[in-house]
Amino acid sequence: MARITMREAISQALWEEMERDPSVFIMGEEVGVWGGTYAVTKGFYDHFGPERVRDTPIAEAVIVGAAIGAALTGLRPVAELMTINFAFSAMDHIVNQAAKLHYMFGGQMILPLVIRAVGGGGRQLGATHSQTPDAIFAHFPGLKVVAPGTPADAKGMLKAAIRSQDPVLFIEHATLYQTRGEVPEGDYIVPLGKSTIQREGRHVTIVTYSKMLEISTKAADQLAKEGIEVEIVDLRSLRPLDMGPVLESFKKTNRAVIVEEGWKSYGVGAEVASRIYEEAFDYVDAPIKRVAQAEVPLPYNRTLEQMALPQVDDVIKAVKEVL
Amino acid sequence: MEKRDYLDLYHQMVVIRRLEERSAELYQQGKIGGFLHLYIGQEAVSTGLISVRRPEDRIITAYRDHGVAINCGLSAREVMAELLGKVTGCSRGKGGSMHLADVKKNFWGGHAIVGAHLPIAAGLALGDAYQGNKAVTVCMFGDGATNIGYFHEALNLSKVWNLPVLWVCENNQYGMGTAVERASAVSEIRRKADGYGMKSEAVDGMDVMKVREVSARLYDEIRNGSGPQFLEVITYRFRGHSMGDPERYRSSEEVKTWLENDPIGIYHRYLLENKIASEEELQEQIRLAEEEVNDAVTFAEASPEPPAEELFKHIYVEG
């Protein structure tokens, strides 16, 4: 197995799916001649040509809207939003169209559509370009929302998303592109809607995903030196949300910390904690803790920005509080 | 055009008119819920426009969609059943008045967010262009939709990518209750196409033959690679925006003037004056249309409610 970066893993998945299926094409801002703002589609334009690697105007509503229309004709568009913050300009098409057309027309419209969007803070881009609004999108039935935290999952889940008959919002994290990991070569598929135990432990369960998997893993490494064994459940998919491994782990450890990068209010942690209380209340030995972003628009200043984002120490502190 | 084609157009327009009148009654009886936007007065637009499409051409419209559905070949039964929320409706009772569709007949809805279906229409045309299909996507929308951002994003992209779309603005003079002049910086809507270097024209939407003639030519041009074009159809809705409209924004004289200009009346006179059909033959079409709509109402009322398990069906294709 090759050890490659998240960027390479995503690029590989796209490349392989485009080679495999001529109905797969890419559209978005700077995906073609430029090679992708984050260089994910570098080399695609020269190899696949302008029909299949389509540079669009800076107009997010029509990027998503036209991808929906093309998907309705049986194609498999991968629409790229330069950042998830720009998804707000396409909000109607994501949550009011893509998420609803199949249901609202009684099952006759099928949209095999992928929307790739980069999110996350930590790069001093200021409040409008640094958000982690994943929970907002996961609120809507009809949309699948996934956010892998490892290169292998990124490859396997992107391939699954492209082959899915349903609209999928595929959320990448800008500061994970350089993260390396073992990635199986060739046709490697990770099913959507399945969470997984990424690290085994017996004292406390951390439930997390995406960038916070990395932060939580670092925290778990440090806690291990003190004899605290953390089990980490990676959600990977926010909708459909697979609580199976979460509950299984919680019933073993009886304690949980949920780590997310977005704001705590109405967030992923709120959802997961409620479900644990609803479905495993008899196993609760301590109040569930949530680690999340400070409830502020993310500031530009590096120190302030890092203060607002969840850090390794915040996770360690929360774990010790539930023990 | 054969004689039966002329009669068929007449028949379609009368079916739409009668279906809308019956819908209004059923709405007042509380049998139709939600919003109900009637197409009365605008029948010649979609009838003319869709009469010259080929089966591979895609039609997509806004929420004033009952007539468009009939013209696309949906039966009065499945339209009426959808209005009554029955499982025999074209959207299985889950869409309602604003969300009629039948993709097998290349009718892609029925969309209720003003302007939001224009980007989708660009995508339908992109799908055909990508796959090398010689099909035209016809996207209908009201004058009100030309003031929202989606309109501009969609027209721009269609021109940049030379997509086979016929953009059809049904200018019925009012976006809900706000007159065109009060909402749009240019009241001659077709001028907006100039901003995208797009060819445009206008046609009298009360005359089905005129709409048909100009549409046939535009389909041909687009099919042969002209790129997107813009057609403004001047029309008028005889009823309010929806059933709850107090109509304080227009005078009864104005409405009367347009009523005298009834699209069905104009076509009726045209068929008689050109000796294409006799009064008796037209009365026979009216009778058949009445029968069809009566049958649709009976069918819809007798149809079952969606079963409870329908609630959780069709959220996703897969699991």
Side-chain angles (χ1 to χ4, degrees), chain A residues 22-25 27 51-52 54-57 59-62 65-66 68-70 72-73 75 92-93 96-97 101-110 141-144 163-166 239, chain B residues 58 90-92 94-95 99-104 107-111 113 116-117 119-120 122-124 126-128 130-131 150 153-154 156-157 161 310-319:
Chain A
S23 71
V24 179
F25 72 97
M27 57 187 284
E51 290 297 315
R52 297 187 69 195
R54 307 184 75 100
D55 283 318
T56 64
E60 283 80 9
V62 83
I68 290 169
L72 289 172
T73 73
L75 298 179
D92 186 80
H93 287 88
N96 228 359
Q97 311 298 332
L101 296 184
H102 183 63
Y103 187 89
M104 194 166 65
F105 292 102
Q108 57 180 315
M109 294 198 189
I110 295 174
L143 198 64
K144 290 184 174 172
R163 296 183 194 188
S164 169
Q165 294 287 79
D166 295 306
R239 186 182 274 273
Chain B
R58 302 172 193 273
C90 56
S91 301
R92 303 182 66 80
K94 287 165 156 179
H99 304 117
L100 307 176
D102 185 346
V103 305
K104 290 197 186 73
F107 173 44
W108 294 88
H111 295 268
I113 300 293
H117 66 293
I120 297 175
L124 292 172
L126 169 62
D128 284 323
Y130 186 95
Q131 295 169 85
Y150 305 132
E153 291 193 24
N156 181 62
L157 188 81
W161 285 358
E310 191 70 29
L311 181 62
F312 292 104
K313 262 192 203 164
H314 306 125
I315 301 167
Y316 297 104
V317 179
E318 303 155 344

Side-chain angles (χ1 to χ4, degrees), chain B:
Chain B
M1 256 179 112
E2 306 270 330
K3 178 171 178 176
R4 67 165 184 274
D5 300 323
Y6 285 102
L7 289 177
D8 183 46
L9 292 191
Y10 187 81
H11 180 80
Q12 286 181 40
M13 287 168 69
V14 179
V15 167
I16 296 170
R17 175 69 55 94
R18 198 66 196 113
L19 185 113
E20 296 294 57
E21 288 166 351
R22 287 302 297 277
S23 302
E25 290 165 27
L26 292 163
Y27 190 84
Q28 273 147 357
Q29 291 165 20
K31 290 182 179 168
I32 295 174
F35 292 145
L36 186 71
H37 306 88
L38 301 178
Y39 202 56
I40 293 175
Q42 298 178 223
E43 294 93 340
V45 182
S46 67
T47 302
L49 187 65
I50 295 168
S51 70
V52 283
R53 73 139 170 180
R54 292 186 187 168
E56 63 268 28
D57 297 333
R58 302 172 193 273
I59 310 291
I60 185 167
T61 189
Y63 45 82
R64 202 176 297 285
D65 59 350
H66 311 163
V68 180
I70 294 292
N71 296 132
C72 284
L74 277 76
S75 69
R77 279 185 165 198
E78 56 195 328
V79 170
M80 193 51 92
E82 188 61 35
L83 299 187
L84 266 63
K86 299 300 180 71
V87 74
T88 50
C90 56
S91 301
R92 303 182 66 80
K94 287 165 156 179
S97 162
M98 302 191 286
H99 304 117
L100 307 176
D102 185 346
V103 305
K104 290 197 186 73
K105 296 194 168 79
N106 249 331
F107 173 44
W108 294 88
H111 295 268
I113 300 293
V114 171
H117 66 293
L118 277 72
I120 297 175
L124 292 172
L126 169 62
D128 284 323
Y130 186 95
Q131 295 169 85
N133 304 334
K134 283 199 110 185
V136 177
T137 292
V138 178
C139 179
M140 304 167 71
F141 48 90
D143 45 274
T146 69
N147 302 318
I148 199 162
Y150 305 132
F151 169 85
H152 302 277
E153 291 193 24
L155 261 69
N156 181 62
L157 188 81
S158 74
K159 185 66 184 178
V160 170
W161 285 358
N162 200 43
L163 300 174
V165 190
L166 177 56
W167 301 109
V168 181
C169 176
E170 290 188 83
N171 182 354
N172 67 12
Q173 321 300 323
Y174 293 92
M176 286 194 75
T178 305
V180 168
E181 307 75 54
R182 295 175 57 219
S184 179
V186 283
S187 50
E188 196 186 354
I189 301 284
R190 59 176 285 207
R191 287 286 151 236
K192 292 185 178 179
D194 296 350
Y196 304 99
M198 198 183 293
K199 226 178 98 189
S200 74
E201 55 191 286
V203 67
D204 173 5
M206 307 313 268
D207 186 331
V208 69
M209 295 309 290
K210 283 184 187 157
V211 175
R212 186 180 152 95
E213 191 189 327
V214 68
S215 303
R217 177 165 47 78
L218 294 177
Y219 279 84
D220 275 351
E221 290 178 14
I222 295 169
R223 208 182 303 284
N224 291 318
S226 75
Q229 298 207 40
F230 192 97
L231 178 64
E232 179 181 1
V233 188
I234 310 297
T235 183
Y236 198 77
R237 65 173 150 71
F238 291 178
R239 300 292 183 93
H241 165 75
S242 66
M243 290 298 289
D245 181 349
E247 295 199 61
R248 288 196 196 95
Y249 52 87
R250 58 187 188 180
S251 68
S252 55
E253 290 75 28
E254 176 187 313
V255 177
K256 189 165 166 285
T257 310
W258 281 93
L259 280 173
E260 286 163 3
N261 206 13
D262 186 304
I264 297 177
I266 289 173
Y267 188 47
H268 190 111
R269 288 196 295 278
Y270 171 89
L271 293 174
L272 293 181
E273 282 163 16
N274 290 282
K275 303 200 181 340
I276 296 164
S278 67
E279 180 64 34
E280 293 69 33
E281 286 169 322
L282 296 181
Q283 289 305 324
E284 174 64 5
Q285 289 304 321
I286 292 173
R287 194 186 62 75
L288 289 171
E290 294 263 359
E291 254 179 40
E292 201 171 316
V293 173
N294 287 342
D295 166 72
V297 175
T298 308
F299 170 82
E301 293 200 304
S303 285
E305 291 282 315
E309 61 263 28
E310 191 70 29
L311 181 62
F312 292 104
K313 262 192 203 164
H314 306 125
I315 301 167
Y316 297 104
V317 179
E318 303 155 344

Side-chain angles (χ1 to χ4, degrees), chain A:
Chain A
M1 233 183 319
R3 207 173 152 73
I4 59 173
T5 63
M6 185 86 122
R7 175 185 287 115
E8 288 161 341
I10 294 167
S11 181
Q12 207 174 80
L14 280 171
W15 187 282
E16 288 177 11
E17 290 306 294
M18 287 182 72
E19 288 283 15
R20 190 185 64 81
D21 181 354
S23 71
V24 179
F25 72 97
I26 300 173
M27 57 187 284
E29 294 154 11
E30 309 300 350
V31 295
V33 176
W34 188 295
T37 321
Y38 294 91
V40 169
T41 52
K42 200 173 161 200
F44 280 57
Y45 185 86
D46 290 338
H47 182 74
F48 293 106
E51 290 297 315
R52 297 187 69 195
V53 185
R54 307 184 75 100
D55 283 318
T56 64
I58 303 170
E60 283 80 9
V62 83
I63 292 173
V64 179
I68 290 169
L72 289 172
T73 73
L75 298 179
R76 294 184 177 275
V78 179
E80 181 178 321
L81 296 174
M82 193 181 286
T83 91
I84 199 164
N85 305 277
F86 307 163
F88 301 134
S89 296
M91 202 65 178
D92 186 80
H93 287 88
I94 298 170
V95 308
N96 228 359
Q97 311 298 332
K100 294 184 173 59
L101 296 184
H102 183 63
Y103 187 89
M104 194 166 65
F105 292 102
Q108 57 180 315
M109 294 198 189
I110 295 174
L111 304 77
L113 159 74
V114 178
I115 302 164
R116 284 181 52 229
V118 184
R123 294 178 310 135
Q124 287 194 270
L125 293 175
T128 60
H129 278 59
S130 305
Q131 295 166 101
T132 309
D134 313 350
I136 294 175
F137 296 97
H139 189 60
F140 292 89
L143 198 64
K144 290 184 174 172
V145 180
V146 304
T150 67
D153 282 347
K155 177 176 176 182
M157 292 176 76
L158 183 52
K159 279 173 157 278
I162 291 170
R163 296 183 194 188
S164 169
Q165 294 287 79
D166 295 306
V168 180
L169 176 62
F170 188 91
I171 305 174
E172 298 161 23
H173 198 289
T175 68
L176 284 181
Y177 280 130
Q178 299 288 21
T179 300
R180 284 182 184 274
E182 302 275 323
V183 177
E185 277 152 44
D187 231 11
Y188 175 66
I189 306 283
V190 176
L192 308 179
K194 297 281 175 208
S195 51
T196 187
I197 294 178
Q198 283 283 7
R199 177 192 184 109
E200 294 198 13
R202 60 196 169 98
H203 295 129
V204 60
T205 300
I206 288 181
V207 184
T208 188
Y209 72 98
S210 186
K211 171 72 175 179
M212 292 297 116
L213 175 63
E214 183 184 274
I215 299 286
S216 300
T217 304
K218 284 180 183 164
D221 287 344
Q222 290 194 32
L223 287 160
K225 291 174 193 155
E226 302 176 36
I228 300 166
E229 294 173 29
V230 173
E231 182 146 294
I232 299 179
V233 183
D234 181 2
L235 294 174
R236 304 192 292 191
S237 288
L238 301 181
R239 186 182 274 273
L241 178 61
D242 174 20
M243 285 297 289
V246 176
L247 295 170
E248 190 189 312
S249 174
F250 186 77
K251 286 176 182 176
K252 185 171 73 177
T253 64
N254 312 106
R255 295 157 202 281
V257 172
I258 304 154
V259 186
E260 65 184 308
E261 186 179 315
W263 294 298
K264 187 184 285 183
S265 302
Y266 312 100
V268 174
E271 179 63 28
V272 172
S274 298
R275 296 231 203 163
I276 294 173
Y277 285 130
E278 283 165 0
E279 293 167 45
F281 188 72
D282 291 345
Y283 295 84
V284 177
D285 280 358
I288 296 165
K289 278 271 172 197
R290 289 180 284 162
V291 177
Q293 188 177 136
E295 306 254 343
V296 296
L298 217 55
Y300 161 73
N301 174 276
R302 176 150 185 84
T303 308
L304 292 179
E305 184 185 34
Q306 290 302 317
M307 276 171 67
L309 289 169
Q311 304 293 337
V312 175
D313 286 346
D314 301 322
V315 179
I316 291 172
K317 183 166 168 281
V319 166
K320 288 184 173 171
E321 282 170 2
V322 302
L323 279 172

